[in-house]
Amino acid sequence: MLYLKLFYSFLKIGLFGFGGGYAMLSLIQSEIVDKNGWLTNAEFTDIVAISQMTPGPIAINSATYVGYTATGNIWGSLLATLGVCLPAATLMMLITKFYLKLKDNPTIKNIMFGMRPMVVALIGSAAMILINPANFIDRISYIIFFVSLLLGTLTRVNPILIIVLSGIAGYLIY
């Protein structure tokens, strides 16, 4: 029963998670932490961090990790990963042929344009999930985070430089 529920949860995430991995984080968090209780918020935050550091899409890495954590074996990882990948792979195979023919259609262009704000909102939602007191050690962490965010927003500073400088600041401070 757990395997079926795990597969179904990640199938829903894969089917309704538009906008890529970061946009899917709020949906993943809702399914995994809130509805099923397979992980705590702190464990979910750890998964996000690990998924960012490992190669591959964050949703697939998260599914693999959650599947293993929830079931304790590789079959859970495989089912969760299959569940999150299956909708996208199926839909891409089905619509690619038609999209190539219809990509210049004004209705299709308007639909794609209309989806952009939703994707931005989903990514913002993921950011709000990750910005909570449990993820910061103290006020200095908040200051480093928001200064980095401000630098990245107001200037054309390379994001990698911001990450490196934030890491150095964290190392020196802590």
Side-chain angles (χ1 to χ4, degrees), residues 22-162:
Y22 292 105
M24 296 168 86
L25 283 179
S26 60
L27 186 56
I28 294 170
Q29 192 263 347
S30 173
E31 278 291 316
I32 303 313
V33 177
D34 298 338
K35 289 183 184 173
N36 294 303
W38 290 323
L39 300 173
T40 65
N41 273 324
E43 290 171 323
F44 177 73
T45 303
D46 290 342
I47 285 176
V48 172
I50 291 168
S51 295
Q52 289 176 354
M53 293 186 299
T54 54
I58 193 168
I60 295 172
N61 292 344
S62 298
T64 304
Y65 186 86
V66 170
Y68 188 83
T69 303
T71 62
N73 60 52
I74 196 166
W75 296 110
S77 293
L78 290 172
L79 281 174
T81 303
L82 178 65
V84 80
C85 292
L86 190 62
T90 304
L91 288 173
M92 286 309 297
M93 286 188 287
L94 292 174
I95 67 171
T96 297
K97 182 177 179 181
F98 297 108
Y99 178 73
L100 291 175
K101 290 180 182 177
L102 299 173
K103 70 179 178 180
D104 295 324
N105 182 307
T107 303
I108 300 298
K109 283 184 176 182
N110 288 336
I111 289 170
M112 295 304 219
F113 183 76
M115 289 175 69
R116 289 180 185 171
M118 179 186 68
V119 171
V120 171
L122 287 171
I123 292 171
S125 173
M128 295 309 292
I129 287 170
L130 297 175
I131 298 174
N132 64 55
N135 296 333
F136 293 97
I137 297 169
D138 54 22
R139 289 185 191 180
I140 294 173
S141 297
Y142 278 116
I143 293 168
I144 291 171
F145 175 75
F146 286 110
V147 166
S148 299
L149 183 65
L150 186 63
L151 274 174
T153 304
L154 298 179
T155 65
R156 292 279 184 195
V157 176
N158 188 325
I160 295 171
L161 179 62
I162 292 174

